[in-house]
Amino acid sequence: MAADTTVSKQPSETLTPLLEQALPNVKGKTFTSAIVDFPPNARAVPHRHGSAFVYAYVLQGTVRSQLAGGPVRTYHQGQNWVEQPGAHHLLTENTSRTKSTKLLVIFISNTGDKLKVDDPPK
């Protein structure tokens, strides 16, 4: 009998843009707001947000996060954090196996830049 070679892939997050608007008083910069939904047990691939300044607010659930050079932190509903331009996001995961986690994320980015660039697979 052949061994089962099915590999279960851990769920990932989805980003749903709410508003994208060029900043009228800061040439070349765009404001983007989005809801990031982490289903139960979801984990994001390590990534960067380019030259964007990022603000994240936990709307629902609990998320574990780590930026390069910093400790692993856990954020609960109502808590928030910022990421400086060029930050390397090593860990972002929903801590629950049964409930979704949702974040409101605000990006101040260079107009036209990608908001998330995943690390290449190893």
Side-chain angles (χ1 to χ4, degrees):
M1 181 184 264
D4 184 0
T5 58
T6 303
V7 177
S8 66
K9 185 176 184 293
Q10 190 167 23
S12 188
E13 81 284 7
T14 57
L15 183 142
T16 304
L18 298 173
L19 174 70
E20 185 176 323
Q21 173 71 49
L23 292 174
N25 59 340
V26 185
K27 186 177 179 173
K29 296 291 182 182
T30 296
F31 170 98
T32 304
S33 62
I35 299 295
V36 180
D37 185 11
F38 286 84
N41 205 37
R43 175 181 262 195
V45 171
H47 61 276
R48 299 175 194 270
H49 297 289
S51 297
F53 175 82
V54 179
Y55 168 81
Y57 178 86
V58 183
L59 295 168
Q60 168 188 314
T62 302
V63 67
R64 188 175 294 124
S65 178
Q66 182 181 25
L67 299 175
V72 173
R73 297 183 188 267
T74 301
Y75 299 96
H76 304 279
Q77 182 176 342
Q79 294 184 309
N80 61 82
W81 73 92
V82 296
E83 298 176 26
Q84 298 301 318
H88 189 195
H89 213 144
L90 302 174
L91 172 70
T92 320
E93 66 182 358
N94 181 349
T95 62
S96 175
R97 294 185 177 273
T98 59
K99 296 180 183 175
S100 290
T101 293
K102 291 188 181 191
L103 309 176
L104 169 66
V105 183
I106 307 294
F107 302 89
I108 305 298
S109 62
N110 293 329
T111 301
D113 280 2
K114 284 184 163 185
L115 295 179
K116 180 180 178 231
V117 178
D118 292 341
D119 288 2
K122 292 183 178 184

